[in-house]
Amino acid sequence: AIKLLKVDARNFDCELGMGWEHRHIFNELLSDSLLELPKNESYFNYHARVRYDSEDNHYFPRRGVRAEAEYAYYTDNLARWKGHAGFSSVLASVRATIPITRTTHLQPGVQGRLLFGDDIAITASNVVGGPMRGKYFPQQLPLAGLTYAEFAEAKFVSASLKLQQRFAGRHYLLLDGSVAEHDSTLKHLFKHTPIWGVGASYFYHSGIAGPLGATLNWSSHTHRLSFYFSIGLDF
């Protein structure tokens, strides 16, 4: 990636740049998939990104706001994509931490990623699920109730609410809920039954290894319980 412009302030940063990505897809790992996946995909992207982060802790904030907005335009030859205009993505997310008491906090949030254009690359498609942003894929958005990552339609939006309770110093209980909509068009985005999910977690925030704990999830999309175990810092 090439950064054409980078500005950093105390809680704020913005970036203008371009990059190139090449993905090799191992079809043998997706033998049951209904998708017709290419063996390789490569594309250039031009992007503009703005971030704001005033949270006092990355994993268990007690105050602050985290927000991000990004626009990206994708091509295969720096100008066009498969012989026509490139496709683009618009991403936005915001999360606030609201103190209720000294040890109890609420975290409402909204997020979305919208893709526009034709012949959108599979590896640039919307991916949702998992406990955090970009866990398995760079464009992945977290979604309570889904332990794993899954492809979503070109237009995806969700809202979430988390209750964070600290006790006995470094121990945390979390209750997390989300509701989401996705569709191939904006026109029909909110004309479906929403997908919703819930999660209940216990974590110990160790000083060296990071958060150690487990989460039990359920989603209306999967209709089954799933389990996620964290052994510390994410890399």
Side-chain angles (χ1 to χ4, degrees):
I2 299 175
K3 296 179 181 179
L4 304 177
L5 174 66
K6 178 75 172 178
V7 177
D8 286 300
R10 183 178 179 182
N11 298 318
F12 169 88
D13 73 83
C14 65
E15 178 183 316
L16 292 174
M18 63 178 297
W20 179 76
E21 294 186 44
H22 175 79
R23 304 289 180 86
H24 176 71
I25 300 172
F26 295 91
N27 287 324
E28 60 270 19
L29 299 178
L30 300 164
S31 58
D32 295 330
S33 175
L34 299 178
L35 295 172
E36 295 183 3
L37 299 176
K39 290 184 178 180
N40 298 282
E41 275 191 334
S42 299
Y43 45 81
F44 296 92
N45 72 78
Y46 303 96
H47 61 268
R49 180 186 303 122
V50 178
R51 292 187 180 126
Y52 175 82
D53 188 353
S54 62
E55 292 182 341
D56 61 338
N57 185 279
H58 178 71
Y59 293 104
F60 304 106
R62 293 174 294 177
R63 62 180 180 274
V65 174
R66 180 184 297 181
E68 178 181 2
E70 180 187 66
Y71 173 80
Y73 183 76
Y74 300 83
T75 75
D76 56 14
N77 63 0
L78 298 177
R80 297 173 69 77
W81 171 255
K82 296 185 177 180
H84 53 74
F87 65 94
S88 59
S89 67
V90 178
L91 178 144
S93 66
V94 60
R95 180 181 78 179
T97 300
I98 303 171
I100 304 301
T101 69
R102 188 172 60 86
T103 59
T104 306
H105 300 80
L106 280 178
Q107 291 181 350
V110 293
Q111 62 180 357
R113 187 168 184 259
L114 309 177
L115 294 167
F116 301 92
D118 298 321
D119 299 320
I120 295 170
I122 290 292
T123 52
S125 298
N126 285 331
V127 179
V128 301
M132 64 189 62
R133 170 91 161 85
K135 173 67 174 177
Y136 305 112
F137 298 85
Q139 73 272 29
Q140 181 181 343
L141 298 176
L143 192 64
L146 280 181
T147 303
Y148 55 87
E150 183 169 308
F151 284 111
E153 295 284 0
K155 313 296 187 294
F156 173 86
V157 294
S158 72
S160 62
L161 182 63
K162 180 186 293 185
L163 174 66
Q164 174 182 288
Q165 177 65 55
R166 179 172 61 88
F167 65 98
R170 292 180 172 269
H171 299 266
Y172 291 85
L173 288 177
L174 308 175
L175 296 177
D176 196 4
S178 67
V179 59
E181 295 271 19
H182 69 136
D183 195 87
S184 58
T185 65
L186 281 174
K187 180 180 178 179
H188 298 104
L189 181 58
F190 296 102
K191 294 185 177 181
H192 309 279
T193 301
I195 299 170
W196 62 274
V198 292
S201 310
Y202 161 77
F203 284 99
Y204 173 72
H205 191 16
S206 67
I208 298 176
L212 309 172
T215 302
L216 190 64
N217 298 280
W218 190 89
S219 169
S220 65
H221 177 68
T222 61
H223 294 284
R224 66 170 182 264
L225 290 172
S226 59
F227 185 75
Y228 175 79
F229 184 71
S230 172
I231 56 174
L233 299 173
D234 287 279
F235 299 96

